[in-house]
């Protein structure tokens, strides 16, 4: 028996001698075992004994092959049995037991949070077991036993999606009744995250992963091949790629997946794959195809643009490469798209737009100064490179001016003069030196960042400054703005409108009221053009964003006029609505809680108009994240109520979430307004039938139930 063999093995280990006088062979990891192999200790049997004497060797996938080889080579079966039984530890079974405990004690995931009563509560039992437990006929809905070819053991393996093999004639095939109900429940039950050994092992790896220890392993370990061929093994490595971009193991995994037909997995990594140029340039080409194929679909355009921004801002190298491809596409080249030039004009506009957004994203990721310094490298000519250098200097001077007030005013004015001299007739002999070079294109001065800096400089509100003192510097800004936006054809007309708008706005500081009557106001007629409208909006933002504005004699009248200007600009210019929202935010921050209620509500009314014009989510997020700090909660409730008055069902999950966040920030309750109560009830109805997508988070579910006055019972 095994007991007697175990006793004899112990006595042999004590004496240090094996059967037939052969020395004992130590098990790997320090465990002792007994050798039954006759002859030379270096024989093949000794090697096989070492394999069979390893801890939990009986659990290894190749143990049967080892046994066959051992017996075929003259080994005794009873010796093999003793080695396997003696060194069995049951680590896998103990791990399964602990994982079962963890599964029972772990909270359910948010995605399993439903609102369909008791039937939706989480249960570790399958729907079939639940039906049987309640006295139902479980045989009508027998649980399928086949799950496809998969291996979910801790050793890894390919984990293909489960394939249910429905037994013929079962309740599933018949449909209807209890069988159909259980079949539907069973599908949802199996769709949940499987908390098996691999699941908890993945969690442990993500928590304890140390790239230094992994990269210190020499050679190619035997487990690496299994890991790379396992879907879940690659998945856990890919989940660590963004956090550990320099890990050699993750690099090998990404390249192995790319070369062995798992390109979709690598593409799903997004920015984490940008470190590998052989992969990055193909991903970028795919993003460009998506961009061009989006056409006029704003949702697809936004998705493609976001993908490009995310992939290309990981490093300056990827940023430069993407900008060069975008420049080629904007100039009519193929940019690696295989000669698809049928939409050349549209592609050029898309490329320019994405290039500007990419530059802004790179500035946030790496710093505006770094992006400005590399801008000359992307210029199409030497003249453009020189202009890009001056543009970078001007933007840096503008930033310094905002931080250090008047200490950088001279540097800003001098840089503006230098940039103007590159494009237009010189004002003096000193700037004639700039004309010795080739005139640059308008591309460097059409950067949105530069245009905003020039507008801020030209339309700065300062009640104590003499308008004539800075007239020359302002005129240069007008020249550059007009030339950048209209070129030489409409330069004079645009410049004249900019100057006129400034004079009208500057007059308000001296008590001269703006003429805002419909049909008879030259000011309103002028701001129907986008460039003068942008200038007027810059003035309003500078004025209403300055706390000193509200201390002036004409503050009340000017504030009303400025808000009317913002309202008119929102109606006429779609592209300026986001800037208008920033103006409202700056005004609310500047006036604080000290301003009178009428001024606050009038400003919030302009924000409601922005929501009516389509700027919904940005306005709600601004109110929740920024206004709540400086606005009385009652004013936030007023804004929320007005927004819900103009919004109508059915509501998207994104709008419902943003509105509930705002109502929570405003300390709203049931009965605040009729529109609010209707919104809450509609959201609850949509949630009950699963029509509120994406679904609300758990805390927003609680807010919704609180606003309904039902608490947890409302679920």
């Amino acid at each position: 028996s095994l007991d007697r063999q175990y006793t004899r093995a112990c006595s042999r280990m004590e004496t240090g001698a094996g059967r037939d006088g052969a020395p004992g062979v130590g098990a790997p990891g320090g465990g002792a075992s007994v050798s039954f192999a006759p002859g030379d200790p270096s024989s093949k049997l000794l090697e096989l004994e070492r394999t069979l004497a390893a801890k939990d060797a009986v659990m290894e996938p190749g143990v049967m092959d080892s046994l066959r080889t051992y017996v075929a080579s003259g080994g005794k079966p009873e010796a093999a049995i003793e080695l396997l039984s003696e060194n069995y530890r049951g680590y896998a079974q103990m791990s399964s037991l602990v994982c079962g405990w963890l599964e029972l004690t772990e909270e359910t995931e948010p995605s399993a949070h439903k609102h369909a009563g008791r039937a939706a509560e989480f249960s570790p039992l399958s729907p079939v077991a639940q039906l049987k437990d309640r006295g139902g006929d479980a045989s009508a809905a027998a649980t399928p036993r086949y799950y496809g070819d998969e291996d979910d053991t801790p050793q890894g393996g390919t984990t293909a999606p489960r394939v249910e093999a429905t037994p013929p004639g079962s309740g599933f095939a018949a449909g209807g009744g209890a069988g159909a109900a259980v079949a539907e429940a069973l599908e949802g039950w199996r769709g949940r995250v499987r908390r098996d050994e691999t699941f908890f092992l993945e969690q442990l790896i993500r928590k304890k992963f140390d790239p230094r220890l992994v990269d210190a392993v020499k050679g190619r370990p035997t487990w690496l091949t299994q890991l790379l061929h396992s879907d879940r093994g690659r998945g856990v490595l890919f989940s660590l790629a963004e956090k550990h971009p320099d890990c050699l193991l993750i690099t090998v995994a990404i390249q192995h997946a790319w070369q062995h037909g798992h390109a979709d997995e690598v593409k799903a990594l997004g920015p984490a794959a940008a470190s590998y140029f052989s992969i990055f340039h193909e991903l970028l080409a795919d993003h460009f195809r998506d961009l061009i194929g989006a056409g006029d679909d704003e949702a697809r355009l936004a998705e493609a643009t976001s993908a490009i921004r995310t992939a290309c801002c990981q490093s300056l190298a990827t940023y430069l490469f993407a900008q060069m491809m975008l420049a080629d596409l904007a100039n009519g080249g193929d940019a690696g798209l295989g000669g698809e030039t049928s939409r050349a004009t549209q592609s050029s506009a898309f490329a320019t737009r994405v290039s500007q957004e990419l530059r802004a994203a790179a500035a946030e990721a790496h710093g505006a100064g770094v992006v400005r310094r590399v801008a000359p490298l992307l210029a199409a000519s030497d003249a453009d490179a020189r202009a890009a250098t001056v543009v970078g200097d001007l933007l840096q001077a503008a930033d310094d001016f905002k931080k250090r007030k008047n200490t950088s005013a001279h540097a800003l004015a001098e840089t503006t003069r230098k940039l103007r001299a590159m494009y237009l007739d010189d004002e003096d002999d000193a700037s004639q030196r700039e004309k010795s070079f080739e005139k640059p294109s308008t591309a460097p001065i059409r950067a949105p960042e530069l245009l905003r800096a020039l507008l801020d400089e030209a339309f700065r509100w300062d009640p104590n400054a003499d308008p004539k003192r800075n007239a020359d510097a302002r005129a240069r800004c007008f020249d550059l703005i007009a030339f950048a936006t209209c070129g030489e054809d409409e330069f004079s007309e645009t410049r004249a409108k900019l100057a006129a708008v400034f004079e009208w706005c500057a007059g308000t500081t001296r008590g001269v009221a703006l003429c805002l009557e419909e049909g008879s106001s030259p000011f309103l007629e002028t701001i129907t053009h986008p460039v003068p409208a942008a200038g007027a909006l810059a003035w309003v933002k500078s004025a209403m964003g300055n706390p000193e504005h509200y201390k002036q004699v004409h503050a009340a009248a000017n504030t009303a006029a400025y808000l009317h200007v913002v309202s008119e600009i929102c109606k006429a210019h779609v592209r300026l609505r986001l800037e208008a929202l920033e103006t409202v935010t700056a005004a609310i921050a500047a006036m604080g809680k000290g301003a009178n209620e009428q001024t606050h509500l009038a400003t919030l009314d302009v924000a409601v108009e922005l929501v009516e014009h389509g700027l919904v989510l940005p306005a709600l997020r601004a109110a929740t994240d920024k206004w709540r700090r400086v606005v009385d909660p009652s004013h936030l409730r007023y804004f929320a109520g007005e927004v819900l008055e103009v919004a109508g069902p059915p509501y998207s999950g994104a709008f419902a979430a943003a509105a509930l966040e705002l109502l929570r920030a405003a300390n709203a309750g049931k009965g605040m307004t009729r529109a609010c109560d209707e919104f809450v009830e509609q959201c609850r109805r949509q949630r009950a039938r699963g029509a509120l997508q994406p679904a609300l988070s758990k805390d927003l579910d609680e807010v919704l139930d609180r606003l309904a006055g039902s608490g947890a019972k409302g679920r």
Side-chain angles (χ1 to χ4, degrees), residues 486-535:
C486 302
E488 298 180 0
D489 297 337
E490 302 177 7
F491 171 78
S492 300
E493 180 183 358
T494 303
R495 191 197 183 287
K497 289 178 180 179
L498 286 169
V501 167
F502 174 80
E503 292 299 329
W504 285 321
C505 291
T508 59
T509 61
R510 303 188 298 271
V512 180
L514 287 172
C515 178
L516 300 175
E517 295 182 6
E518 294 287 344
S520 61
S521 172
F523 177 81
L524 293 180
E525 174 63 26
T526 302
I527 63 174
T528 57
H529 300 277
V531 180

Side-chain angles (χ1 to χ4, degrees), residues 9-10 52 120-121 129 151 289 313 356 460 492 548 550 681:
C10 291
L52 297 176
E121 295 178 1
D151 180 11
R289 293 188 185 96
C313 291
Q356 293 172 352
R460 182 183 297 113
S492 300
E548 294 298 322
Y550 303 96
E681 290 305 315

Side-chain angles (χ1 to χ4, degrees), residues 113-180:
H113 184 64
K114 303 293 182 185
H115 305 274
R118 182 178 180 274
E121 295 178 1
F122 175 77
S123 173
L125 300 177
S126 72
V128 176
Q130 294 179 44
L131 180 63
K132 185 176 181 180
D133 187 55
R134 294 195 296 267
D137 182 11
S139 63
T143 305
R145 298 298 182 184
Y146 176 66
Y147 299 102
D149 296 330
E150 63 178 354
D151 180 11
D152 288 338
T153 65
Q155 286 81 11
T158 302
T159 54
R162 292 189 172 188
V163 179
E164 284 89 12
T166 305
S170 70
F172 289 91

Side-chain angles (χ1 to χ4, degrees), residues 37 146 156 158 248 316 347 375 410-411 647 679-680 706 713:
Y146 176 66
T158 302
L248 180 60
L316 287 177
S347 300
H410 176 72
F679 163 76
V680 170
R706 180 180 61 81
K713 297 180 180 180

Side-chain angles (χ1 to χ4, degrees), residues 583-599:
T583 301
V584 170
T585 300
I588 291 176
M591 65 179 68
K593 296 183 180 180
N596 63 69
E597 185 174 17
Q598 184 179 1
T599 303

Side-chain angles (χ1 to χ4, degrees), residues 544 550 555-556 559-560 563 583-608 626-640 642:
M544 295 191 66
Y550 303 96
T559 297
L563 291 175
T583 301
V584 170
T585 300
I588 291 176
M591 65 179 68
K593 296 183 180 180
N596 63 69
E597 185 174 17
Q598 184 179 1
T599 303
H600 269 294
L601 297 183
T603 306
L604 293 175
D605 286 337
V606 174
V608 175
K626 300 176 182 178
W627 304 353
R628 64 182 295 184
R629 304 170 187 170
V630 292
V631 171
D632 189 84
S634 63
H635 293 164
L636 276 184
R637 290 193 289 272
Y638 169 81
F639 174 71
E642 292 298 310

